[in-house]
């Protein structure tokens, strides 16, 4: 059996070399199909790793009080039927921070002061795409943010409204390139801030380039970027995640009192738990993976039909060759294995090309998104299974047709 396979492989390779242009086109057809499958799955894996990773760094012991619950907006319920919640004002956020007393809890206040801001350093100016965030000293740890250089705000910075700032990682690629950012002075709308820390890079999520953020003390942000209807976010971290349910319940009661809600009224604010939000994101990305895999399978199915058509044409063109081999004593199994092996070799070459292109697609996307490239084992397994399925689907019928040819009729074929 091994000798038969080896002989058929030699014949298949000889036929492939004899029809080089057709072989290249056929390999590209299979390669494009596998590329679509592996590339889409690898891209989804990178996207999932980026999204889930950015939220996972917050841990499972934090929650936020916001205008709406984004976890529910991601699919927990139909938000179209919900009423509009009022914004969380600074007096409400500050009152919550002062009144919420829970063992091991740390509360931070923050708001997006401005987007599309231009920042200056000496004679250099950044592109007008910087986001300014006003926050206190608990904001970084509560948000899962880390500094790679310098330090976070301390209570003295916040209480004394020191003109200091913590910047995103991309500043070192822009106006602060080739200099030590710590101690440098940045100008924001005429106010001069001393850089005390640089954040660890986080990449981009939902189109939001988080590494272009600049964080300043919250009271300074309120004075520099005063605007009506500013919406504040309250973030709370609990020392022990086992007490998270109790802390959330206590926070809801406190916020209801601050909002002066009657006992029968539903909450007009959102509670975002990090564990629930993470599970929701995983569920959504898992659904995206299934959809992407389905699209890739359809593409591969189209490639297999094209390959089957090409192999049938090959059988027709080599009818006299089949007749000669049968007249010399070749059995049906030998003829069938010859064409099946040829299909297997073409599928294998196309699968390798598609697998490499798919992995490169995912790797390039990870570089663009500045995130770690997760090895897409699911995509690689799917690629090998696909190669096997395509070989069977595309090669079996032409091989059976070739083996069933009558040698006398085959020799008469013109």
């Amino acid at each position: 059996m091994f000798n038969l396979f080896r002989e058929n492989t030699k014949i298949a390779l000889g036929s492939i070399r004899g029809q080089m242009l057709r072989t290249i086109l056929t390999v590209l057809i299979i390669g494009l199909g596998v590329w679509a499958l592996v590339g889409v799955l690898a891209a989804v894996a990178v996207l999932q790793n980026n999204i889930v990773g950015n939220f996972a760094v917050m841990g499972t012991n934090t929650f936020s009080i916001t205008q709406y619950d984004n976890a529910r907006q991601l699919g927990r319920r139909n938000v179209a039927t919900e009423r509009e919640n009022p914004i969380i004002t600074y007096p409400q956020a500050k009152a919550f921070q002062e009144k919420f007393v829970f063992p091991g809890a740390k509360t931070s206040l923050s708001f997006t002061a401005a987007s599309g801001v231009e920042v200056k350093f000496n004679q250099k100016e950044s592109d007008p795409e910087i986001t300014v965030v006003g926050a206190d000293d608990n904001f970084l740890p509560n948000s899962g943010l880390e500094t790679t250089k310098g330090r976070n705000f301390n209570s003295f910075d916040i209480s004394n409204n020191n003109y200091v700032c913590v910047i995103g990682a991309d500043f070192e690629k822009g106006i602060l390139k080739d200099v030590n950012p710590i101690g440098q002075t940045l100008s924001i709308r005429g106010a001069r801030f001393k850089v005390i820390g640089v954040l660890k890079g986080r990449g981009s999520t939902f189109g939001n380039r988080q590494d272009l953020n600049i964080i300043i003390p919250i009271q300074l942000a309120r004075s520099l970027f005063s605007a009506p209807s500013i919406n504040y976010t309250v973030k709370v971290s609990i020392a022990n995640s086992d007490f998270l349910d109790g802390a959330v319940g206590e926070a809801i009661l406190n916020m209801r009192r601050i909002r002066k809600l009657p006992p029968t009224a539903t909450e007009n604010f959102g509670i975002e738990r990090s564990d629930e939000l993470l599970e929701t994101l995983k569920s959504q990305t898992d659904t995206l993976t299934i959809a992407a895999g389905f699209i890739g399978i359809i593409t591969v199915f189209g490639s297999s039909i094209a390959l089957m058509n090409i192999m049938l044409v090959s059988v027709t063109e080599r009818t006299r060759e089949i007749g000669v081999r049968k007249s010399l004593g070749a059995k049906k199994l030998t003829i069938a294995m010859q064409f099946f092996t040829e299909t297997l070799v073409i599928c294998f070459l196309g699968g390798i090309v598609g697998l490499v292109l798919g992995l490169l697609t995912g790797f390039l996307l990870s570089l663009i998104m500045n995130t770690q490239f997760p090895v897409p084992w699911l995509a690689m397994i799917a690629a090998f299974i696909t190669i096997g399925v395509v070989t069977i689907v595309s090669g079996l019928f032409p091989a059976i047709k070739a083996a069933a040819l009558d040698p006398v009729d085959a020799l008469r074929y013109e």
Side-chain angles (χ1 to χ4, degrees), residues 309-351:
N309 183 54
I310 291 172
M311 293 306 300
L312 287 172
V313 171
S314 179
V315 170
T316 303
E317 290 179 346
R318 294 158 62 186
T319 300
R320 287 182 62 83
E321 175 191 334
I322 295 171
V324 171
R325 294 199 67 197
K326 281 195 169 185
S327 65
L328 294 176
K331 298 180 180 179
K332 288 185 177 182
L333 178 62
T334 304
I335 299 297
M337 286 298 296
Q338 174 190 338
F339 283 89
F340 190 79
T341 303
E342 186 174 329
T343 306
L344 177 63
V345 172
I346 292 175
C347 284
F348 179 77
L349 293 175

Side-chain angles (χ1 to χ4, degrees), residues 220-341:
L220 290 176
R222 294 184 69 224
S223 62
L224 285 175
F225 300 93
S226 59
S229 303
I230 294 178
N231 195 13
Y232 289 81
T233 297
V234 180
K235 293 188 178 182
V236 181
S237 66
I238 306 299
N240 191 336
S241 58
D242 294 335
F243 299 147
L244 184 60
D245 291 337
V248 170
E250 184 68 23
I252 292 175
L253 290 176
N254 273 272
M255 200 62 189
R256 288 180 64 90
R257 294 193 198 102
I258 293 171
R259 292 255 191 171
K260 299 180 180 179
L261 294 177
T264 57
T266 57
E267 286 84 25
N268 59 358
F269 54 89
I271 295 287
E272 293 182 1
R273 294 178 51 152
S274 56
D275 53 352
E276 290 184 352
L277 184 58
L278 189 59
E279 288 301 318
T280 301
L281 288 170
K282 286 182 178 179
S283 174
Q284 297 293 324
T285 52
D286 287 344
T287 302
L288 184 61
T289 301
I290 295 173
F294 182 72
I295 294 173
I297 289 173
I298 292 177
T299 306
V300 172
F301 180 71
S303 300
S304 66
I305 293 176
L307 176 60
M308 181 187 294
N309 183 54
I310 291 172
M311 293 306 300
L312 287 172
V313 171
S314 179
V315 170
T316 303
E317 290 179 346
R318 294 158 62 186
T319 300
R320 287 182 62 83
E321 175 191 334
I322 295 171
V324 171
R325 294 199 67 197
K326 281 195 169 185
S327 65
L328 294 176
K331 298 180 180 179
K332 288 185 177 182
L333 178 62
T334 304
I335 299 297
M337 286 298 296
Q338 174 190 338
F339 283 89
F340 190 79
T341 303

Side-chain angles (χ1 to χ4, degrees), residues 197-208:
V198 180
L199 295 175
K200 181 180 179 181
R202 299 186 68 187
S204 176
T205 303
F206 298 118
N208 178 25

Side-chain angles (χ1 to χ4, degrees), residues 358-378:
L359 293 177
L360 284 176
T361 300
F363 180 71
L364 290 176
L365 182 61
S366 68
L367 292 179
I368 294 173
M369 300 185 68
N370 193 24
T371 187
Q372 184 180 3
F373 177 62
V375 179
W377 295 109
L378 176 63

Side-chain angles (χ1 to χ4, degrees), residues 391-402:
T391 301
I392 294 173
V393 172
S394 304
L396 198 58
F397 181 68
I400 293 174
K401 182 181 178 180

Side-chain angles (χ1 to χ4, degrees), residues 68-79:
Y68 295 103
D69 185 347
N70 289 330
R72 293 183 175 181
Q73 289 183 351
L74 284 171
R76 294 294 182 89
R77 64 188 180 193
N78 182 13
V79 297

